[in-house]
Amino acid sequence: MLSVIIPAFNEENMVQEAANRISVLLKEANIPYEILFINDGSTDRTWEQICTLSSDKENIRGICFSRNFGKESAIFAGLEHAVGECVVVIDCDLQHPPQKIIEMYRLWQQGYEVIEGVKADRGQESMLYSLAARCFYKILSKATQIDMERASDFKLLDRKAVNVLLNMRERNAFFRALSSWIGFRTTSVEFEVGEREQGTTKWTTWSLMKYAISNITSFSAAPMQIVTILGAFMLIVALVLGAIALTQKIKGIALGGFTTVIIIQLFIGSIVMISLGIIGYYIAQIYDELKGRPRYIVSGQCGESKEISDR
């Protein structure tokens, strides 16, 4: 059976449309399935819509969070509650084309265990948002040594891959990167990002920046190397300026340089503060992990699981 995980945050206008379109496609393809909606603390009628669907159709279930925990938490909640032999993650706004699920499923039947949905293009985005996204994924690709520039959360995973992800107990997990990092027999399916049919995107440039910082630091220690690079750079600057000052002193041409001293002090102070900020952020991440708080809190469920897979 295929489990379709759909994270939903304030998607009351898209819940029924997403369920109907995916259900029709999977029934026509004769694929046994369940649809699992994860309500990520929506403030509209998203949960009511999910409960209505689950009461009308036995293969639709819903999980409701006590508050908004973020998309990553919603995805991992879906992975934990899904019962299928394979699992696909798709956005509720249907910008991930549902028809590609069939192609992914057929590849899984051929023996592939991770089927990545990769973007042929980024769809309709503002110039600033598109630039920020491209910069983020280039930095992340360099940091992780995994090509993330066209990556997405649209993936199909075999039960073995799902179980490996669930055994990773880190709270700040980055699904998009971890699902590639775990390995297994992998292939990809290219898709074009569709236009949102209703509602507006929940992502802003600022939220993307916070998302980028959180995921880069949770998946890679590369930013810590910036501190070492800045330290080495300051050492070189200090040696050069020291040599110049010593030469001037020996020649007897040393002059008072109050402005130079102030500029150098400000520069060094900036470098120190940036370095402390990077180190402090990692310490905060470590503290967050050590507290051991759950990724999410479930406040309610609807629908019943009809099949329990062999885990």
Side-chain angles (χ1 to χ4, degrees):
M1 184 173 72
L2 169 66
S3 293
V4 182
I5 298 172
I6 309 179
F9 176 62
N10 291 342
E11 295 285 2
E12 62 178 352
N13 296 322
M14 287 301 299
V15 166
Q16 187 166 357
E17 176 67 17
N20 290 342
R21 286 180 57 179
I22 292 172
S23 295
V24 168
L25 285 168
L26 295 178
K27 285 179 180 177
E28 290 178 350
N30 198 28
I31 297 173
Y33 71 95
E34 68 164 353
I35 296 177
L36 180 57
F37 284 98
I38 312 297
N39 177 41
D40 187 18
S42 300
T43 56
D44 60 5
R45 298 184 66 254
T46 297
W47 181 238
E48 287 81 354
Q49 294 283 351
I50 294 171
C51 289
T52 300
L53 283 170
S54 67
S55 63
D56 293 339
K57 300 179 180 180
E58 63 178 13
N59 56 349
I60 294 181
R61 295 191 289 138
I63 304 294
C64 184
F65 286 175
S66 61
R67 65 169 177 83
N68 178 251
F69 282 90
K71 187 178 181 181
E72 300 296 315
S73 295
I75 291 173
F76 275 88
L79 295 178
E80 188 168 346
H81 288 84
V83 298
E85 291 85 4
C86 59
V87 173
V88 66
V89 178
I90 186 170
D91 284 354
C92 191
D93 57 17
L94 298 181
Q95 288 189 291
H96 296 156
Q99 60 270 21
K100 289 293 181 177
I101 296 176
I102 311 300
E103 185 177 348
M104 290 177 166
Y105 186 82
R106 299 307 179 204
L107 288 169
W108 173 74
Q109 289 180 316
Q110 294 173 25
Y112 290 100
E113 295 161 319
V114 177
I115 297 92
E116 306 262 3
V118 296
K119 300 174 183 177
D121 61 69
R122 296 199 59 87
Q124 299 296 320
E125 295 177 345
S126 68
M127 184 178 296
L128 181 59
Y129 184 94
S130 179
L131 178 62
R134 291 180 189 281
C135 289
F136 163 53
Y137 287 116
K138 283 184 178 179
I139 293 171
L140 189 62
S141 296
K142 291 288 185 181
T144 63
Q145 302 300 310
I146 299 172
D147 184 10
M148 300 293 297
E149 292 194 40
R150 297 197 299 154
S152 73
D153 292 323
F154 188 28
K155 302 173 186 286
L156 188 145
L157 306 173
D158 182 80
R159 172 54 58 183
K160 288 191 295 185
V162 171
N163 289 340
V164 169
L165 288 174
L166 292 177
N167 285 330
M168 297 179 181
R169 305 315 303 171
E170 57 198 83
R171 183 179 181 276
N172 295 309
F174 185 21
F175 172 73
R176 193 173 302 187
L178 284 176
S179 56
S180 299
W181 177 83
I182 59 175
F184 292 103
R185 189 181 179 196
T186 303
T187 188
S188 62
V189 171
E190 195 172 73
F191 70 93
E192 294 186 1
V193 179
E195 293 187 19
R196 171 180 278 272
E197 296 182 11
Q198 297 185 50
T200 58
T201 180
K202 311 305 183 296
W203 291 96
T204 63
T205 302
W206 173 243
S207 63
L208 180 67
M209 289 175 62
K210 292 193 294 182
Y211 177 77
I213 293 171
S214 174
N215 287 320
I216 288 174
T217 54
S218 68
F219 197 80
S220 172
M224 289 289 285
Q225 306 306 316
I226 296 176
V227 178
T228 304
I229 294 171
L230 291 175
F233 175 71
M234 285 307 304
L235 176 62
I236 294 172
V237 171
L239 290 173
V240 172
L241 292 178
I244 293 173
L246 185 60
T247 301
Q248 291 178 338
K249 186 68 174 178
I250 294 173
K251 292 182 177 180
I253 58 174
L255 299 174
F258 179 78
T259 302
T260 303
V261 171
I262 292 298
I263 291 174
I264 291 174
Q265 286 184 337
L266 291 174
F267 182 62
I268 293 174
S270 299
I271 296 296
V272 170
M273 294 305 294
I274 290 172
S275 301
L276 288 175
I278 294 172
I279 295 171
Y281 193 86
Y282 272 93
I283 293 174
Q285 293 283 74
I286 295 170
Y287 175 63
D288 199 30
E289 293 287 343
L290 287 176
K291 284 187 292 189
R293 292 178 182 173
R295 290 191 184 118
Y296 58 87
I297 299 172
V298 175
S299 64
Q301 299 187 39
C302 60
E304 294 184 3
S305 174
K306 301 300 181 182
E307 179 181 335
I308 303 297
S309 65
D310 181 12
R311 299 192 183 187

